[in-house]
Coordinates of all heavy atoms in Angstrom, one line a residue:
M1 N 0.8 -1.2 0.0 CA 0.0 0.0 0.0 C 0.9 1.3 0.0 O 0.4 2.3 -0.5 CB -0.9 0.0 1.2 CG -1.9 1.2 1.3 SD -2.8 1.6 -0.1 CE -3.9 0.3 -0.3
F2 N 2.1 1.2 0.6 CA 2.9 2.4 0.6 C 3.2 2.9 -0.8 O 3.1 4.1 -1.0 CB 4.3 2.1 1.3 CG 5.2 3.2 1.1 CD1 5.1 4.3 1.9 CD2 6.3 3.1 0.2 CE1 6.0 5.4 1.7 CE2 7.1 4.2 0.0 CZ 7.0 5.3 0.8
D3 N 3.5 2.0 -1.7 CA 3.8 2.5 -3.1 C 2.6 3.2 -3.7 O 2.7 4.2 -4.4 CB 4.3 1.3 -4.0 CG 5.6 0.8 -3.6 OD1 6.4 1.6 -3.0 OD2 5.9 -0.4 -3.8
Q4 N 1.4 2.6 -3.5 CA 0.2 3.2 -4.0 C -0.1 4.5 -3.4 O -0.5 5.5 -4.1 CB -1.0 2.2 -3.8 CG -2.2 2.5 -4.6 CD -3.2 1.4 -4.5 OE1 -3.1 0.5 -3.7 NE2 -4.2 1.5 -5.4
L5 N 0.1 4.6 -2.1 CA 0.0 5.9 -1.4 C 0.9 7.0 -1.9 O 0.5 8.1 -2.2 CB 0.2 5.7 0.1 CG 0.3 7.0 0.9 CD1 -1.0 7.8 0.8 CD2 0.6 6.6 2.4
K6 N 2.2 6.6 -2.1 CA 3.2 7.5 -2.6 C 2.8 8.0 -4.0 O 2.9 9.2 -4.3 CB 4.6 6.8 -2.6 CG 5.7 7.8 -3.0 CD 7.0 7.1 -2.8 CE 8.2 8.1 -3.1 NZ 9.4 7.5 -2.7
E7 N 2.3 7.1 -4.8 CA 1.9 7.5 -6.2 C 0.7 8.5 -6.1 O 0.7 9.5 -6.9 CB 1.5 6.2 -7.0 CG 1.1 6.6 -8.4 CD 0.7 5.4 -9.2 OE1 1.1 4.3 -8.9 OE2 0.0 5.6 -10.2
L8 N -0.2 8.2 -5.2 CA -1.4 9.2 -5.1 C -0.9 10.5 -4.6 O -1.3 11.6 -5.1 CB -2.4 8.6 -4.1 CG -3.3 7.5 -4.6 CD1 -4.2 7.0 -3.5 CD2 -4.1 7.9 -5.8
L9 N 0.0 10.5 -3.7 CA 0.5 11.8 -3.1 C 1.3 12.6 -4.2 O 1.3 13.8 -4.2 CB 1.3 11.6 -1.9 CG 0.6 11.1 -0.7 CD1 1.5 10.7 0.5 CD2 -0.4 12.2 -0.2
T10 N 2.1 11.9 -5.0 CA 2.9 12.6 -6.0 C 2.1 13.0 -7.3 O 2.2 14.1 -7.8 CB 4.1 11.7 -6.4 OG1 3.7 10.5 -6.9 CG2 5.0 11.6 -5.2
T11 N 1.2 12.1 -7.7 CA 0.5 12.4 -8.9 C -0.8 13.2 -8.7 O -1.1 14.1 -9.5 CB 0.1 11.1 -9.7 OG1 -0.8 10.3 -8.9 CG2 1.3 10.3 -10.1
R12 N -1.5 13.0 -7.7 CA -2.7 13.7 -7.4 C -2.5 15.0 -6.6 O -3.1 16.0 -6.8 CB -3.8 12.8 -6.7 CG -4.2 11.6 -7.5 CD -5.1 11.9 -8.7 NE -6.4 12.3 -8.3 CZ -7.5 11.5 -8.2 NH1 -7.4 10.3 -8.4 NH2 -8.7 12.1 -7.9
A13 N -1.7 14.9 -5.5 CA -1.4 16.0 -4.7 C -0.2 16.9 -5.1 O 0.0 17.9 -4.5 CB -1.3 15.6 -3.2
G14 N 0.5 16.4 -6.0 CA 1.7 17.1 -6.6 C 2.9 17.2 -5.6 O 3.7 18.1 -5.8
L15 N 3.0 16.3 -4.7 CA 4.1 16.3 -3.8 C 5.4 15.7 -4.4 O 5.3 14.8 -5.2 CB 3.8 15.6 -2.5 CG 2.6 16.1 -1.7 CD1 2.4 15.2 -0.5 CD2 2.8 17.5 -1.3
P16 N 6.6 16.2 -4.0 CA 7.8 15.6 -4.5 C 7.9 14.2 -3.8 O 7.6 14.0 -2.7 CB 8.9 16.5 -4.1 CG 8.3 17.3 -2.9 CD 6.8 17.3 -3.2
D17 N 8.5 13.2 -4.6 CA 8.5 11.9 -4.0 C 9.7 11.6 -3.0 O 9.6 10.7 -2.2 CB 8.5 10.8 -5.1 CG 9.7 10.8 -6.0 OD1 10.6 11.7 -5.9 OD2 9.9 9.9 -6.7
G18 N 10.7 12.4 -3.1 CA 11.9 12.2 -2.2 C 11.6 12.1 -0.8 O 12.0 11.2 -0.1
P19 N 10.8 13.1 -0.2 CA 10.6 13.1 1.3 C 9.5 12.0 1.7 O 9.4 11.8 2.9 CB 10.1 14.5 1.6 CG 10.1 15.2 0.4 CD 10.4 14.3 -0.8
I20 N 8.8 11.4 0.8 CA 7.8 10.5 1.1 C 8.4 9.1 1.3 O 8.5 8.3 0.4 CB 6.7 10.4 0.1 CG1 6.1 11.8 -0.2 CG2 5.6 9.4 0.5 CD1 5.1 11.9 -1.3
V21 N 8.8 8.8 2.6 CA 9.4 7.6 3.0 C 8.6 7.1 4.1 O 8.0 7.8 4.9 CB 10.9 7.7 3.3 CG1 11.7 8.1 2.1 CG2 11.1 8.7 4.4
P22 N 8.6 5.8 4.4 CA 7.7 5.2 5.4 C 7.9 5.8 6.8 O 6.9 6.1 7.5 CB 8.1 3.7 5.4 CG 8.5 3.4 4.0 CD 9.2 4.7 3.6
E23 N 9.1 6.1 7.2 CA 9.3 6.5 8.6 C 9.1 8.0 8.7 O 9.2 8.5 9.9 CB 10.7 6.1 9.0 CG 11.9 6.8 8.3 CD 12.2 6.1 7.0 OE1 11.6 5.1 6.6 OE2 13.2 6.5 6.3
A24 N 8.9 8.8 7.7 CA 8.7 10.2 7.8 C 7.3 10.6 8.4 O 6.3 9.9 8.1 CB 8.8 10.8 6.4
S25 N 7.4 11.6 9.2 CA 6.1 12.2 9.7 C 5.4 12.8 8.5 O 6.0 13.0 7.4 CB 6.3 13.3 10.7 OG 6.9 14.4 10.1
L26 N 4.1 13.0 8.6 CA 3.3 13.6 7.5 C 3.9 14.9 7.2 O 4.1 15.3 6.0 CB 1.8 13.7 7.8 CG 1.1 12.3 8.0 CD1 -0.4 12.5 8.2 CD2 1.4 11.3 7.0
A27 N 4.2 15.7 8.2 CA 4.8 17.1 7.9 C 6.1 17.0 7.2 O 6.3 17.7 6.2 CB 4.9 17.8 9.3
R28 N 7.0 16.1 7.6 CA 8.3 16.0 7.0 C 8.1 15.5 5.5 O 8.9 15.8 4.6 CB 9.2 15.0 7.7 CG 10.6 14.9 7.2 CD 11.5 14.2 8.1 NE 11.6 14.8 9.4 CZ 12.6 15.5 9.8 NH1 13.6 15.7 8.9 NH2 12.7 16.1 10.9
A29 N 7.1 14.7 5.2 CA 6.9 14.2 3.9 C 6.1 15.2 3.0 O 6.0 15.0 1.8 CB 6.0 12.9 3.9
G30 N 5.7 16.4 3.6 CA 5.1 17.4 2.9 C 3.6 17.2 2.8 O 2.9 17.9 2.0
V31 N 3.0 16.3 3.6 CA 1.6 16.1 3.5 C 0.9 17.1 4.4 O 0.8 17.0 5.6 CB 1.3 14.6 4.0 CG1 -0.2 14.4 3.9 CG2 2.0 13.6 3.2
D32 N 0.4 18.2 3.8 CA -0.3 19.2 4.5 C -1.8 19.0 4.4 O -2.2 18.0 3.8 CB 0.2 20.6 4.0 CG -0.1 20.8 2.5 OD1 -0.8 19.9 1.9 OD2 0.3 21.8 1.9
S33 N -2.6 20.0 4.9 CA -4.0 19.8 4.8 C -4.6 19.7 3.4 O -5.5 19.0 3.2 CB -4.7 21.0 5.6 OG -4.4 22.2 5.0
M34 N -4.0 20.4 2.5 CA -4.4 20.3 1.1 C -4.2 19.0 0.5 O -5.0 18.4 -0.1 CB -3.8 21.4 0.2 CG -4.2 21.4 -1.2 SD -6.0 21.6 -1.4 CE -6.1 23.3 -1.4
A35 N -3.0 18.4 0.8 CA -2.6 17.1 0.3 C -3.6 16.0 1.0 O -4.0 15.1 0.3 CB -1.2 16.8 0.6
V36 N -3.9 16.2 2.2 CA -4.8 15.3 2.9 C -6.2 15.3 2.2 O -6.8 14.3 2.0 CB -4.9 15.6 4.4 CG1 -6.1 14.8 5.0 CG2 -3.6 15.2 5.1
T37 N -6.7 16.5 1.9 CA -8.0 16.7 1.2 C -7.9 16.0 -0.1 O -8.9 15.2 -0.5 CB -8.3 18.2 1.0 OG1 -8.4 18.8 2.3 CG2 -9.6 18.3 0.3
V38 N -6.9 16.2 -0.9 CA -6.8 15.6 -2.2 C -6.7 14.0 -2.1 O -7.3 13.3 -2.8 CB -5.5 16.1 -3.0 CG1 -5.2 15.3 -4.2 CG2 -5.7 17.6 -3.3
L39 N -5.9 13.6 -1.1 CA -5.8 12.1 -0.8 C -7.1 11.5 -0.5 O -7.5 10.5 -1.0 CB -4.8 11.9 0.3 CG -4.6 10.4 0.7 CD1 -4.0 9.6 -0.5 CD2 -3.6 10.4 1.9
S40 N -7.9 12.2 0.4 CA -9.2 11.7 0.8 C -10.1 11.5 -0.5 O -10.7 10.4 -0.6 CB -9.8 12.6 1.8 OG -11.1 12.2 2.1
M41 N -10.1 12.5 -1.3 CA -10.9 12.4 -2.6 C -10.4 11.3 -3.5 O -11.1 10.6 -4.1 CB -10.9 13.7 -3.3 CG -11.7 14.8 -2.5 SD -12.0 16.3 -3.3 CE -10.3 16.9 -3.6
A42 N -9.0 11.2 -3.6 CA -8.4 10.2 -4.5 C -8.7 8.8 -4.0 O -9.0 7.9 -4.8 CB -6.9 10.4 -4.6
L43 N -8.7 8.6 -2.7 CA -9.0 7.3 -2.1 C -10.4 6.9 -2.5 O -10.7 5.7 -2.8 CB -8.8 7.2 -0.6 CG -7.3 7.3 -0.2 CD1 -7.2 7.6 1.3 CD2 -6.5 6.1 -0.6
E44 N -11.3 7.8 -2.3 CA -12.7 7.5 -2.7 C -12.9 7.2 -4.2 O -13.6 6.3 -4.5 CB -13.6 8.7 -2.2 CG -15.1 8.3 -2.4 CD -16.0 9.4 -1.8 OE1 -15.5 10.4 -1.2 OE2 -17.2 9.2 -1.9
D45 N -12.3 8.1 -5.0 CA -12.4 7.9 -6.5 C -11.8 6.6 -6.9 O -12.4 5.9 -7.7 CB -11.7 9.1 -7.2 CG -12.5 10.4 -7.1 OD1 -13.6 10.4 -6.6 OD2 -11.9 11.4 -7.4
Q46 N -10.5 6.3 -6.5 CA -9.8 5.2 -7.1 C -10.0 3.9 -6.4 O -9.9 2.8 -7.0 CB -8.3 5.6 -7.1 CG -8.0 6.6 -8.1 CD -6.5 6.9 -8.3 OE1 -5.7 6.3 -7.6 NE2 -6.1 7.7 -9.3
L47 N -10.2 4.0 -5.0 CA -10.3 2.7 -4.3 C -11.7 2.5 -3.7 O -11.9 1.4 -3.1 CB -9.2 2.7 -3.2 CG -7.8 2.9 -3.6 CD1 -6.8 2.9 -2.4 CD2 -7.4 1.7 -4.5
G48 N -12.5 3.5 -3.8 CA -13.9 3.3 -3.3 C -14.0 3.3 -1.7 O -14.9 2.8 -1.2
V49 N -13.0 3.8 -1.1 CA -12.9 3.8 0.4 C -13.0 5.3 0.9 O -12.4 6.2 0.3 CB -11.7 3.1 0.9 CG1 -10.4 3.9 0.5 CG2 -11.7 3.0 2.4
V50 N -13.9 5.5 1.9 CA -14.0 6.8 2.5 C -13.3 6.9 3.8 O -13.6 6.1 4.7 CB -15.5 7.2 2.6 CG1 -15.7 8.5 3.3 CG2 -16.2 7.2 1.3
I51 N -12.3 7.7 3.9 CA -11.6 8.0 5.1 C -11.5 9.5 5.3 O -11.0 10.2 4.4 CB -10.1 7.4 5.1 CG1 -10.1 5.9 4.8 CG2 -9.5 7.6 6.5 CD1 -8.7 5.3 4.6
D52 N -12.1 9.9 6.4 CA -12.2 11.4 6.6 C -10.8 12.0 6.8 O -9.8 11.4 7.2 CB -13.2 11.8 7.6 CG -12.8 11.5 9.0 OD1 -11.6 11.7 9.4 OD2 -13.7 11.1 9.8
E53 N -10.7 13.3 6.5 CA -9.5 14.0 6.6 C -8.9 14.0 8.0 O -7.6 14.0 8.1 CB -9.7 15.4 6.0 CG -10.1 15.4 4.5 CD -10.6 16.7 4.1 OE1 -10.4 17.8 4.6 OE2 -11.4 16.7 3.1
D54 N -9.7 14.1 9.0 CA -9.2 14.1 10.4 C -8.5 12.8 10.7 O -7.4 12.8 11.3 CB -10.3 14.4 11.4 CG -10.8 15.8 11.3 OD1 -10.1 16.7 10.9 OD2 -12.0 16.0 11.7
E55 N -9.1 11.7 10.2 CA -8.5 10.4 10.5 C -7.1 10.3 9.7 O -6.2 9.7 10.2 CB -9.5 9.3 10.1 CG -9.2 8.0 10.7 CD -10.3 7.0 10.5 OE1 -11.3 7.3 9.8 OE2 -10.1 5.9 10.9
L56 N -7.1 10.7 8.5 CA -5.9 10.6 7.7 C -4.8 11.5 8.3 O -3.6 11.1 8.4 CB -6.1 11.1 6.2 CG -7.0 10.2 5.4 CD1 -7.4 10.9 4.1 CD2 -6.4 8.9 5.1
S57 N -5.1 12.7 8.8 CA -4.2 13.6 9.4 C -3.6 13.1 10.7 O -2.5 13.5 11.1 CB -4.8 15.0 9.6 OG -5.2 15.6 8.4
A58 N -4.3 12.2 11.3 CA -3.9 11.7 12.7 C -2.8 10.7 12.6 O -2.2 10.4 13.6 CB -5.1 11.2 13.4
A59 N -2.5 10.2 11.4 CA -1.5 9.2 11.3 C -0.1 9.8 11.6 O 0.2 10.9 11.1 CB -1.4 8.6 9.8
P60 N 0.7 9.2 12.5 CA 1.9 9.8 12.9 C 3.1 9.7 11.8 O 4.0 10.5 11.8 CB 2.3 8.9 14.1 CG 1.6 7.6 14.0 CD 0.4 7.9 13.2
T61 N 3.0 8.7 10.9 CA 4.0 8.6 9.9 C 3.3 8.2 8.6 O 2.1 7.8 8.6 CB 5.0 7.4 10.3 OG1 4.3 6.2 10.3 CG2 5.7 7.7 11.6
V62 N 4.1 8.2 7.5 CA 3.6 7.8 6.2 C 3.3 6.3 6.3 O 2.2 5.9 5.7 CB 4.6 8.1 5.1 CG1 4.2 7.6 3.8 CG2 4.8 9.6 5.0
A63 N 4.1 5.5 6.9 CA 3.8 4.1 7.1 C 2.5 3.8 7.8 O 1.7 3.0 7.4 CB 4.9 3.4 7.8
A64 N 2.2 4.6 8.8 CA 1.0 4.4 9.6 C -0.2 4.8 8.7 O -1.3 4.2 8.8 CB 1.0 5.3 10.8
L65 N 0.0 5.9 7.9 CA -1.1 6.3 6.9 C -1.3 5.2 5.9 O -2.5 4.8 5.7 CB -0.6 7.6 6.2 CG -1.6 8.2 5.3 CD1 -3.0 8.5 5.9 CD2 -1.0 9.4 4.7
A66 N -0.3 4.5 5.4 CA -0.5 3.4 4.5 C -1.2 2.3 5.1 O -2.0 1.6 4.5 CB 0.9 3.0 3.9
D67 N -0.8 2.0 6.4 CA -1.5 0.9 7.1 C -2.9 1.2 7.3 O -3.8 0.2 7.2 CB -0.8 0.7 8.5 CG 0.6 0.1 8.4 OD1 1.0 -0.4 7.3 OD2 1.3 0.1 9.4
L68 N -3.3 2.4 7.6 CA -4.7 2.8 7.8 C -5.5 2.5 6.5 O -6.6 2.0 6.5 CB -4.8 4.2 8.2 CG -6.2 4.8 8.2 CD1 -7.1 4.2 9.3 CD2 -6.1 6.3 8.5
I69 N -4.9 3.0 5.4 CA -5.6 2.8 4.1 C -5.7 1.3 3.8 O -6.7 0.9 3.3 CB -4.8 3.6 3.0 CG1 -4.9 5.1 3.3 CG2 -5.4 3.3 1.7 CD1 -3.9 5.9 2.5
A70 N -4.6 0.6 4.0 CA -4.7 -0.9 3.8 C -5.8 -1.5 4.6 O -6.5 -2.4 4.1 CB -3.3 -1.5 4.0
L71 N -5.9 -1.1 5.8 CA -6.9 -1.7 6.7 C -8.3 -1.4 6.2 O -9.1 -2.3 6.1 CB -6.7 -1.2 8.1 CG -7.7 -1.7 9.2 CD1 -7.5 -3.2 9.4 CD2 -7.5 -0.9 10.5
R72 N -8.5 -0.2 5.8 CA -9.8 0.2 5.3 C -10.2 -0.4 4.0 O -11.3 -0.6 3.7 CB -9.9 1.8 5.2 CG -9.9 2.4 6.5 CD -11.1 2.0 7.3 NE -11.2 2.7 8.6 CZ -11.7 3.9 8.7 NH1 -12.2 4.6 7.7 NH2 -11.7 4.5 9.9
T73 N -9.2 -0.6 3.1 CA -9.5 -1.2 1.8 C -9.5 -2.7 1.9 O -9.8 -3.4 0.9 CB -8.4 -0.8 0.8 OG1 -7.1 -1.2 1.2 CG2 -8.4 0.7 0.5
G74 N -9.2 -3.3 3.0 CA -9.1 -4.7 3.1 C -7.8 -5.4 2.7 O -7.7 -6.6 2.8
S75 N -6.9 -4.6 2.3 CA -5.6 -5.1 1.8 C -4.8 -5.7 3.0 O -4.1 -6.7 2.8 CB -4.7 -4.0 1.3 OG -5.4 -3.4 0.1
A76 N -5.0 -5.2 4.2 CA -4.3 -5.8 5.3 C -4.8 -7.1 5.7 O -4.1 -7.9 6.3 CB -4.3 -4.8 6.5
A77 N -6.1 -7.4 5.4 CA -6.7 -8.6 5.8 C -6.4 -9.7 4.8 O -6.7 -10.9 5.0 CB -8.2 -8.4 5.9
A78 N -5.9 -9.3 3.6 CA -5.6 -10.4 2.6 C -4.4 -11.2 3.0 O -3.4 -10.7 3.5 CB -5.3 -9.7 1.2
P79 N -4.6 -12.5 2.9 CA -3.5 -13.4 3.3 C -2.2 -13.2 2.4 O -2.4 -13.0 1.2 CB -4.0 -14.8 3.2 CG -5.2 -14.7 2.2 CD -5.7 -13.3 2.4
T80 N -1.1 -13.3 3.0 CA 0.1 -13.2 2.2 C 0.6 -14.5 1.6 O 1.4 -14.6 0.7 CB 1.3 -12.6 3.0 OG1 1.5 -13.4 4.2 CG2 1.0 -11.1 3.5
T81 N 0.1 -15.6 2.2 CA 0.3 -16.9 1.7 C -1.0 -17.6 1.5 O -1.9 -17.4 2.2 CB 1.2 -17.7 2.6 OG1 0.6 -17.8 3.9 CG2 2.6 -17.1 2.7
P82 N -1.1 -18.5 0.5 CA -2.3 -19.2 0.3 C -2.7 -20.1 1.5 O -1.9 -20.7 2.2 CB -2.0 -20.1 -0.9 CG -0.8 -19.6 -1.5 CD 0.0 -18.9 -0.5
S83 N -4.0 -20.1 1.8 CA -4.5 -20.9 2.9 C -4.7 -22.3 2.5 O -5.1 -22.6 1.4 CB -5.8 -20.3 3.4 OG -6.4 -21.1 4.4
T84 N -4.4 -23.2 3.4 CA -4.5 -24.7 3.1 C -5.8 -25.2 3.8 O -6.0 -26.4 3.8 CB -3.3 -25.5 3.6 OG1 -3.1 -25.2 5.0 CG2 -2.1 -25.1 2.8
A85 N -6.5 -24.3 4.5 CA -7.7 -24.8 5.3 C -8.8 -25.1 4.4 O -9.0 -24.7 3.3 CB -8.0 -23.7 6.3

């Protein structure tokens, strides 16, 4: 999900990709209130998930933001290895 988030932030919100690393705080990555607004709309348009701006802004790092989005889209729940059950 991190790569997809980074792509949305760079293509839709116009942020430079250099500072957008998993361990960066949102502020350090350049994710301001306008970028959060654009991200919220992009998530709804492209992934069909609604996450309000306050919730997105509360993420302490870019990785935490990616985890939140993955959780909401169901990506985090997808098994990484095939189930044998």
Side-chain angles (χ1 to χ4, degrees):
M1 180 53 67
F2 170 77
D3 291 335
Q4 195 169 12
L5 170 61
K6 186 172 184 172
E7 182 179 337
L8 286 174
L9 290 171
T10 58
T11 61
R12 298 286 291 265
L15 299 180
D17 67 349
I20 304 172
V21 294
E23 64 277 3
S25 67
L26 298 188
R28 186 171 297 259
V31 181
D32 60 8
S33 60
M34 180 58 82
V36 168
T37 299
V38 171
L39 178 60
S40 178
M41 292 186 298
L43 291 170
E44 187 172 358
D45 289 347
Q46 291 188 352
L47 302 177
V49 63
V50 176
I51 305 174
D52 71 41
E53 295 163 25
D54 290 335
E55 198 170 3
L56 292 170
S57 296
T61 63
V62 174
L65 182 57
D67 289 346
L68 170 65
I69 296 166
L71 181 64
R72 291 297 184 85
T73 60
S75 298
T80 56
T81 56
S83 175
T84 56

